[in-house]
Amino acid sequence: MIVKVDKDLCIACGDCINICPEVFDWDEEGLAEVQVEEIPEGKEGLVNEAVESCPTDAILKEEFAHVKSTEKEYI
Ligand code: SF4
């Protein structure tokens, strides 16, 4: 699973960072950003919770279960 924050939609409420600080943190502009390339094992549930909690649907989630890691860059 890969997630991204659409910073045009982020209103800096901090919910995602509170829910899963291992994955989300503030950037230099005070908006949320994803800190990891891939979600660490065992954190998918918290990331899903963060996605659901985001009031502006700013967290975009993509599943790559069917794609080999070497092919990701071509998507
Ligand atoms: S939950 Fe959504 S709006 Fe709130 S800080 Fe995270 S990405 Fe931004």
Side-chain angles (χ1 to χ4, degrees):
M1 184 205 292
I2 290 178
V3 288
K4 294 175 184 168
V5 172
D6 183 339
K7 296 190 184 187
D8 290 335
L9 295 176
C10 178
I11 56 168
C13 72
D15 282 358
C16 58
I17 295 167
N18 289 333
I19 292 169
C20 194
E22 297 87 352
V23 171
F24 301 97
D25 202 356
W26 300 116
D27 69 6
E28 63 281 354
E29 293 170 10
L31 298 171
E33 79 179 358
V34 175
Q35 301 296 307
V36 295
E37 209 161 290
E38 265 194 68
I39 306 307
E41 204 134 318
K43 296 295 174 192
E44 289 91 349
L46 284 175
V47 169
N48 281 328
E49 202 182 309
V51 170
E52 304 273 310
S53 302
C54 179
T56 58
D57 293 332
I59 307 171
L60 312 174
K61 190 171 79 168
E62 297 175 65
E63 306 280 354
F64 286 106
H66 61 294
V67 180
K68 288 184 201 149
S69 60
T70 51
E71 294 173 333
K72 283 178 190 167
E73 61 197 86
Y74 300 113
I75 293 176

